[in-house]
Amino acid sequence: MTEPLHSTPHDHDDDGAESLAEVSARRLAARTQWQKALARAKDRFAPANLRDEAIETAAEKIGNAADQAAGLAWTHRWKIALAGLLGGLFLGRKPITKAAAPLADKARAQAEKARDALRSTGKR
């Protein structure tokens, strides 16, 4: 059913020396890699670099948003102009009404004169 395992003869002294050398080399490589990563992190997370990166990111995002807003405004320029005009008329309605009141009164008076003239010609 199961066969007994036959081990091949090994020279354990050589294996130990090789594995110790490999472990030492791996440890040295890992330490070097860790030191490089730490140096990169220190450089990247320095306050001046963080500030510069934040400014670049913000400038890029704001620039993209401004480009999109400009494109949207250009696409809908007539709607925006109409909305601005209507908003201006709404906000300026009292001064406009005050300035137009004499003209409206004059037009009303002329309309009454014309109506009275038509009624008087119709009664004859």
Side-chain angles (χ1 to χ4, degrees), residues 30-115:
R31 185 176 186 170
T32 304
Q33 186 178 6
W34 168 252
Q35 288 173 345
K36 286 180 182 179
L38 186 60
R40 281 193 306 265
K42 281 182 181 179
D43 184 49
R44 181 165 184 219
F45 294 118
N49 291 342
L50 284 176
R51 183 194 67 227
D52 293 343
E53 188 174 331
I55 289 171
E56 287 176 15
T57 302
E60 182 179 331
K61 297 292 183 185
I62 290 170
N64 289 340
D67 289 344
Q68 289 177 348
L72 183 68
W74 182 255
T75 303
H76 300 287
R77 60 188 175 275
W78 299 115
K79 293 175 187 175
I80 293 171
L82 180 61
L85 176 65
L86 294 176
L89 289 174
F90 177 76
L91 293 175
R93 68 188 180 278
K94 289 182 181 178
I96 292 171
T97 303
K98 187 177 179 181
L103 296 174
D105 291 341
K106 185 177 178 182
R108 240 183 257 116
Q110 288 177 349
E112 286 178 15
K113 281 183 187 179
R115 186 180 63 209

Side-chain angles (χ1 to χ4, degrees), residues 1 4 9-10 16 23 26 36 41 66 69 71 83 87 95-96 103 105-106 109 114 119 123:
M1 292 202 201
H10 287 290
V23 168
R26 278 185 275 163
K36 286 180 182 179
I96 292 171
L103 296 174
D105 291 341
K106 185 177 178 182
R119 284 186 184 168
K123 288 183 181 181

Side-chain angles (χ1 to χ4, degrees), residues 18-30:
E18 270 185 59
S19 66
L20 184 58
E22 288 175 1
V23 168
S24 179
R26 278 185 275 163
R27 190 175 128 245
L28 182 61

